[in-house]
Amino acid sequence: MKADAVRGHLDGLLLAVLEPGPLHGYAIITAVQQRSSGTLELRTGTVYPALNRLERTGLLRSTWDSVGERRRRRYELTDAGRRALDGERAAWREFTAAIGSVLNPAPAPVRPGRATA
């Protein structure tokens, strides 16, 4: 899928995969890829700056976790992040309905009294 198609929806994607619980960065990337059946492949250079921005705006919080010798940051939704996710979902439904009504218009109703061929 084109990167342009994801632009504008990245925050919603990240918030959605964090809804069930905390994940580290690579697991977030993997979750998006798995949920999209491999269609969406996010790059680390896109994801980590977005995670940092979402944390700065209070939608995520992070903690450091150690696995053996490795330290990694785990991200989780805040209450504000959950509200933002609800807003992202509502905006997505509105957007897809609008695009769908243009790409797949409903058939025009048949007017009574008019003959059809």
Side-chain angles (χ1 to χ4, degrees), residues 28-91:
I28 293 168
I29 292 169
T30 302
V32 170
Q33 189 173 12
Q34 287 176 342
R35 284 193 186 190
S36 69
S37 300
T39 303
L40 300 176
E41 293 184 30
L42 302 178
R43 296 176 185 229
T44 58
T46 301
V47 172
Y48 286 103
L51 291 170
N52 290 331
R53 181 177 40 75
L54 292 170
E55 186 173 17
R56 278 193 316 274
T57 60
L59 302 182
L60 299 179
R61 73 176 142 258
S62 68
T63 55
W64 285 99
D65 191 18
S66 293
V67 177
E69 297 287 319
R70 291 186 67 196
R71 287 187 50 167
R72 58 187 180 185
R73 195 173 223 156
R74 288 173 38 123
Y75 298 89
E76 66 181 314
L77 290 180
T78 61
D79 289 340
R82 290 185 191 287
R83 289 190 299 276
L85 177 56
D86 290 342
E88 291 283 341
R89 285 182 169 141

Side-chain angles (χ1 to χ4, degrees), residues 94-114:
E94 184 178 317
F95 176 76
T96 56
I99 297 297
S101 66
V102 173
L103 293 177
N104 300 309
V110 177
R111 291 185 177 162
R114 292 212 165 205

